[in-house]
Amino acid sequence: MFRAFWRWHFYASIVVIPTVLVLAVTGLVYLFRFQIEPMLHHDLLRVSAPAGATPVTYDEQLTAVQQARPGDTVVSLTEPAAPDQSTRVTVSTPDDATRDVFVDPYTGRVLGALDPDSTISGTAVRIHANLMAGPVGDFVLELGACWAIVMALTGYYLFFRGRRARRRLRRKDPAAARLRSGHAWTGLFIGAGLLLLVVSGLPWTGIWGAQTQKLATAGGTSFWSDDHGALSSPTSTLDESLPHSHGVVPWAQEKSGVPRSTGDPERSVATVDTAVLVGGREGLAHPMTVVLPGDDTGVFSTIGYAFNDPSAERTVHVDRYGGTVVSQYGYDDYSALAKTVSHGIALHEGRHFGTLNMVLTTAFCLAVIASCITGPLMWWRRRPKRSGSIGAPRGRMPVVATPALGVALVLLCLALPVFGASVVVALVAEKVLRRSARARHLFAIAR
C-alpha cells in the first residue's frame, strides 16, 4: 500500500508541480495587486489631496474622460478608495478593447489610461485563469487541480506511514533526511489548504464548473441566481454590461439580470452622482462602482463595496429617469449554493478575513513553491544514475484486496470527470507498456 501510494504521489507530481507552481506564483502576484500596481503606476493611481479640497462631481469627471477620449464609450466609474487615490473610469474602445482611465478627483484632470489585461496583476489573473491559452489552458489547469487532490491525499498517507522510514534515513543520510522531512512537514501544512483552494477554485473551471452548474440548475439551484427584484424583464446580465468585470462584479451576481428603466424621459435625468447618492441611501458601502446605462432604456447599476465580506454583496439598479430604485439584488437573494461558493471564493482570493486571510494565503503560496522545489530535489538525489529508469516507485494499488479503496477511487473519478478520464488513459497506457520489458523498466511498472 505504501509503495502504491508513493507511486501515485510521484506520477501526480509530474502533472501537479508545473500547474501548482504557476498558480502559486500568479496567485501571490494577484494577492498583492493593491501594493504592486500603485508602485508601478504611481502617477495614475495616486493623487495629491489638497487640504480642505472638495472633489468635483463624478459627472464632471466623466465629461473630462469623454472629451479626452471622444471615440470611446464610458462603461463604468469606480470611486476612489482613499483621499489620495484617483477615480477609475472604464471605457470600451471602438475595437472592443477595454481601458481603465484615471482621473484626479480634485481637478477633474485625466491622468492617463491602462490596459487592465496588460498590467502585472492583470497578466497574472489571465495566466491563473487559463494560462492565457483559452480552453486548452483551462483544461490543463483543471487536470492539475484534480491530481492535486490525489497528491494531497497520498501525501498525508505517506507522511503518517513514513515516519519509520524517515527515522532510518536520518541515521543513514542526514542531508537527505532533512530534505525529506522538510518536504513532509511542509506538505502537512499545505495539504488541507491545497484541498480547500482546489475545491473553491473548481467552480471557475470550464468542465467541472460548467457541468456542476448544469446539475445545480436541474436541481432547482445555481452558483448564480436570477435578479428576483427586477420589476421588468432583463435584457442582459451584469457581467455583459461591464467588460473586465473580475474583481468588480461579485462572482455570484455576474449572471444576474439587468432591468430596464421605466421612468418618464420627460422627468429629470439621473447621473452617476445620483446613482452614488441613491446607493448610499440604500446602505451600499463605499467605494462603489457604477455601471452606466448601455442605451436609452438602461439603468445605472450601483455595486457596493464588499471586498472582505461576501454577505455585504449587493447591487442597486437606479432608473436613469428620476433616479428611483428599479430593483436591487444581493447576498440575501442568493441560493444556498451561491452563498457557499461566494464565501469559498473570498477565502480562495485571500480576502475573507482581512489581514489574517492574506497572511495565511501568502504563507501557503510560499510553502507550495517550496514543496514544488523540494519534491524534484528529492527525486534527483535518489534517481538511478545509470539504470535507464526514471526512478518511479514500483507498486500496484491493491484495489481487489481493499474494496473500500476501489470504491473511493471510482467515486473520485465520477466526481471529477477530467481526473476520471486521465485515470482511464493512465491505466490503459500502463497495460500497453507492461508488454514491453524496456518500458516496464523505464517506468517501473510492476508485472
Side-chain angles (χ1 to χ4, degrees):
M1 183 79 81
F2 184 86
R3 297 190 68 84
F5 272 75
W6 187 10
R7 180 176 178 82
W8 277 62
H9 192 78
F10 174 85
Y11 278 112
S13 69
I14 296 174
V15 178
V16 173
I17 284 178
T19 302
V20 170
L21 185 59
V22 168
L23 292 176
V25 172
T26 54
L28 267 180
V29 172
Y30 185 70
L31 186 65
F32 286 92
R33 63 195 180 280
F34 297 121
Q35 289 75 33
I36 294 173
E37 298 302 342
M39 287 193 300
L40 298 177
H41 307 289
H42 189 274
D43 56 328
L44 300 179
L45 303 182
R46 293 285 186 257
V47 298
S48 298
T54 302
V56 301
T57 65
Y58 291 128
D59 200 42
E60 291 177 278
Q61 295 180 49
L62 287 182
T63 299
V65 172
Q66 291 167 335
Q67 291 175 347
R69 305 178 69 95
D72 297 343
T73 301
V74 176
V75 176
S76 69
L77 177 145
T78 300
E79 296 183 289
D84 65 341
Q85 293 186 15
S86 56
T87 304
R88 184 175 78 246
V89 178
T90 300
V91 301
S92 179
T93 65
D95 57 353
D96 291 329
T98 299
R99 295 292 181 270
D100 285 338
V101 184
F102 300 91
V103 183
D104 188 325
Y106 302 102
T107 64
R109 182 172 66 89
V110 175
L111 303 174
L114 285 174
D115 178 355
D117 285 336
S118 67
T119 61
I120 288 182
S121 59
T123 302
V125 169
R126 293 164 65 204
I127 295 174
H128 198 87
N130 59 17
L131 302 177
M132 297 172 62
V136 173
D138 182 84
F139 173 81
V140 170
L141 290 181
E142 185 170 348
L143 179 66
C146 292
W147 278 94
I149 296 175
V150 175
M151 196 167 72
L153 296 176
T154 56
Y156 275 122
Y157 181 89
L158 296 176
F159 177 86
F160 290 107
R161 292 300 300 271
R163 288 174 294 181
R164 292 181 180 177
R166 290 195 295 274
R167 282 198 296 269
R168 289 196 299 269
L169 187 61
R170 277 197 294 270
R171 294 191 294 268
K172 180 180 177 182
D173 188 345
R178 284 194 295 270
L179 181 62
R180 187 169 179 176
S181 293
H183 183 81
W185 283 99
T186 303
L188 181 69
F189 165 69
I190 68 173
L194 189 63
L195 291 172
L196 174 63
L197 286 183
V198 166
V199 171
S200 62
L202 282 174
W204 275 302
T205 57
I207 297 177
W208 189 93
Q211 295 305 314
T212 307
Q213 170 61 17
K214 288 181 180 178
L215 290 175
T217 302
T221 184
S222 174
F223 288 155
W224 313 281
S225 298
D226 292 330
D227 189 349
H228 304 297
L231 302 180
S232 56
S233 299
T235 59
S236 64
T237 56
L238 198 53
D239 63 335
E240 293 172 342
S241 303
L242 181 58
H244 196 76
S245 62
H246 182 74
V248 178
V249 177
W251 192 83
Q253 294 189 27
E254 289 182 354
K255 303 303 180 185
S256 63
V258 178
R260 313 301 296 171
S261 287
T262 57
D264 184 0
E266 300 300 322
R267 296 181 60 189
S268 60
V269 177
T271 65
V272 174
D273 294 277
T274 309
V276 171
L277 183 66
V278 172
R281 189 178 65 207
E282 294 296 322
L284 299 185
H286 297 276
M288 302 177 200
T289 293
V290 180
V291 183
L292 275 65
D295 52 39
D296 291 341
T297 60
V299 294
F300 290 98
S301 297
T302 307
I303 305 168
Y305 182 79
F307 185 77
N308 295 333
D309 184 10
S311 63
E313 293 175 357
R314 194 151 55 95
T315 298
V316 174
H317 300 294
V318 180
D319 198 305
R320 68 177 301 172
Y321 306 112
T324 58
V325 176
V326 178
S327 69
Q328 51 183 297
Y329 178 67
Y331 180 84
D332 291 341
D333 301 305
Y334 296 175
S335 65
L337 179 60
K339 289 179 178 178
T340 302
V341 172
S342 295
H343 286 285
I345 288 172
L347 282 170
H348 186 100
E349 294 186 344
R351 56 183 172 83
H352 201 308
F353 300 112
T355 303
L356 176 62
N357 201 166
M358 188 169 181
V359 169
L360 291 176
T361 305
T362 300
F364 172 81
C365 288
L366 293 175
V368 167
I369 293 171
S371 289
C372 289
I373 296 172
T374 56
L377 284 177
M378 288 166 55
W379 166 80
W380 184 259
R381 291 181 66 95
R382 61 171 290 277
R383 78 194 191 286
K385 302 301 187 290
R386 288 180 294 274
S387 70
S389 170
I390 65 173
R394 188 185 300 273
R396 297 182 68 175
M397 195 68 78
V399 175
V400 176
T402 317
L405 184 62
V407 172
L409 181 60
V410 170
L411 291 177
L412 190 60
C413 289
L414 292 175
L416 303 169
V418 170
F419 169 72
S422 66
V423 167
V424 171
V425 171
L427 293 177
V428 171
E430 186 170 285
K431 190 174 184 63
V432 172
L433 293 172
R434 189 175 287 121
R435 299 175 181 176
S436 167
R438 185 174 181 181
R440 288 199 305 271
H441 178 69
L442 176 64
F443 296 106
I445 300 173
R447 286 182 176 272

